[in-house]
Amino acid sequence: MSKSKQGSSFYILRDDLLHPLVNGNKARKLDALLPLVEDHKVTDLVTCGGCQSAHTAAVAVSCAERGLRSHLLLRGEQPDVLTGYNLVSTMYGNVQYVPRSRYANREEMLRTYADLVAGEDGTVLWAKDIVEGRDTMNVAKMDDFSSMKTSRRKVLIVNEGAGDALALLGMFRLVQHLSQDHLLGKKRPVKFVVDAGTGTTAVGLGVAAMSLGLPWEINAVMLADTLKNYKRHEDHLIAEFSRQFPGSVFCSGLDMNQMIKWIDRQHPRKFGKVLEGEVEMCRKIAQETGVLVDPMYTLAAWETATELVQDEKSSIVVMLHTGGTLGMFGLAQRYKTCFTNLKD
């Protein structure tokens, strides 16, 4: 994908093509959750996200496909024109806009709304309760949750972005698939590149690769937080995963420092801001390669992959396309001049 050096190229894992509306890392994070939702006969699912949240749209569509009700708490005010993921969330789910002051306390907000959905005779569980329900109280609660009459609401709360340990299982399945001999294999060094919002996808790739003993390096481009906070989230996910799946091949004592490299994007900025010329760059990439990236997330991974491949001799470079295509519609609302001034 880079023409500046003859013979150099990188691979792109087109997870943006997994599903018309549920794609990228949002689909991977829901990979292990959705079977549990069906097994426990959940009737309603409550989650939250930003106005143009790809996560809430993925949840809404996935629930609708399975005959479930989704309740989506979106931060801020309803936009004048519904587009992109906001429109998808509205068409497939039940959307409520929440003031930013109230949204700041996500756990309380989600629990309060879930209780309203459940009503007096319904039951509410957090997604992690299903996995961690090993003590007597939780087992009894889960049994009741699964065996309730269909007339009662069974409400499951999913954290913002599905950014918890359960989401790592989807990355395990992806890495197992990619490590097959006819794909990337288990012996060839690979430099993976992924844009990091919460960092959950990057941690999942790293944990899975290390568990399988793969000579991979995960280059996570930090977009929304500091290195300190990304490392804190990494430690939290690993501890939570070890607690929830104690019988897994993963050992919490493994050193992830050599597996995951948290790196700055080429052009750092406050999250949510688009710099001059980036929309034009996305357009150029789309016209030359047929791959659509967005300036908020995937352009950062593209730039890093392009940089890595210039000096890489022994490893192959693989960019994980985390989707987010419909987010371009929301950006076009916010940054009108960046899109109206597109010219050849």
Side-chain angles (χ1 to χ4, degrees):
M1 294 298 179
S2 173
K3 297 181 180 179
S4 59
K5 184 177 179 182
Q6 187 175 6
S8 64
S9 63
F10 62 88
Y11 291 92
I12 301 181
L13 180 61
R14 297 298 304 274
D15 266 10
D16 57 318
L17 303 180
L18 285 174
H19 183 284
L21 299 173
V22 186
N23 54 46
N25 62 340
K26 307 308 178 188
R28 298 291 181 186
K29 288 179 180 181
L30 296 176
D31 191 15
L33 175 64
L34 293 173
L36 291 177
V37 168
E38 294 179 310
D39 288 346
H40 289 272
K41 300 179 177 61
V42 171
T43 62
D44 298 77
L45 195 150
V46 177
T47 191
C48 64
C51 186
Q52 284 288 348
S53 169
H55 161 70
T56 59
V59 167
V61 174
S62 298
C63 285
E65 290 177 344
R66 290 162 175 78
L68 310 175
R69 291 178 291 266
S70 62
H71 306 268
L72 317 169
L73 307 181
L74 303 186
R75 182 181 62 250
E77 303 76 30
Q78 178 177 326
D80 294 334
V81 180
L82 305 185
T83 63
Y85 290 115
N86 182 264
L87 176 59
V88 172
S89 294
T90 303
M91 294 297 293
Y92 284 84
N94 301 295
V95 168
Q96 293 285 333
Y97 294 91
V98 180
R100 287 171 172 80
S101 58
R102 183 176 165 222
Y103 191 93
N105 192 339
R106 290 163 178 75
E107 183 172 336
E108 180 182 346
M109 173 191 70
L110 287 167
R111 180 72 204 204
T112 300
Y113 193 83
D115 287 339
L116 289 174
V117 173
E120 295 182 357
D121 61 348
T123 302
V124 176
L125 279 181
W126 293 81
K128 65 178 182 180
D129 291 337
I130 294 179
V131 182
E132 296 182 354
R134 296 185 176 89
D135 58 73
T136 304
M137 181 181 299
N138 280 344
V139 168
K141 188 175 182 180
M142 285 168 52
D143 288 343
D144 179 58
F145 190 76
S146 299
S147 61
M148 284 192 306
K149 296 178 181 180
T150 56
S151 60
R152 295 172 60 186
R153 294 286 184 98
K154 306 169 189 176
V155 185
L156 190 70
I157 302 175
V158 177
N159 282 321
E160 182 179 36
D164 51 29
L166 188 61
L168 303 189
L169 293 181
M171 306 316 298
F172 264 79
R173 173 139 65 166
L174 172 60
V175 171
Q176 285 181 321
H177 171 70
L178 293 175
S179 63
Q180 295 178 92
D181 292 339
H182 68 287
L183 294 175
L184 298 179
K186 296 179 175 62
K187 298 180 179 180
R188 189 174 184 180
V190 176
K191 289 185 179 292
F192 242 89
V193 182
V194 60
D195 53 272
T198 64
T200 303
T201 299
V203 174
L205 288 170
V207 170
M210 180 160 283
S211 298
L212 296 174
L214 303 176
W216 292 11
E217 175 186 281
I218 312 302
N219 293 269
V221 188
M222 299 182 293
L223 304 181
D225 216 331
T226 63
L227 174 60
K228 180 180 179 180
N229 286 336
Y230 275 113
K231 291 292 293 183
R232 182 183 293 120
H233 185 56
E234 175 186 323
D235 293 341
H236 169 74
L237 283 175
I238 292 174
E240 188 179 61
F241 187 84
S242 300
R243 184 176 67 254
Q244 292 180 356
F245 306 101
S248 68
V249 295
F250 177 69
C251 174
S252 59
L254 293 175
D255 182 10
M256 299 294 293
N257 291 327
Q258 300 301 315
M259 181 64 70
I260 303 178
K261 292 180 62 176
W262 299 99
I263 59 179
D264 293 317
R265 70 185 307 169
Q266 287 189 7
H267 307 286
R269 84 291 301 272
K270 182 179 179 181
F271 181 68
K273 184 175 179 57
V274 174
L275 301 183
E276 183 178 354
E278 290 186 330
V279 175
E280 288 86 345
M281 177 58 68
C282 292
R283 182 181 186 228
K284 183 174 185 292
I285 293 170
Q287 291 181 343
E288 292 184 357
T289 69
V291 178
L292 183 62
V293 296
D294 75 281
M296 194 73 70
Y297 292 96
T298 45
L299 177 61
W302 182 284
E303 291 172 337
T304 298
T306 302
E307 183 178 38
L308 283 176
V309 80
Q310 299 305 312
D311 301 318
E312 191 51 55
K313 298 289 192 299
S314 58
S315 302
I316 60 173
V317 176
V318 179
M319 170 190 158
L320 173 61
H321 197 309
T322 55
T325 305
L326 292 181
M328 292 287 274
F329 292 87
L331 292 177
Q333 281 185 310
R334 294 173 55 195
Y335 298 95
K336 294 180 181 179
T337 57
C338 292
F339 288 83
T340 56
N341 293 335
L342 287 176
K343 298 179 181 179
D344 292 329

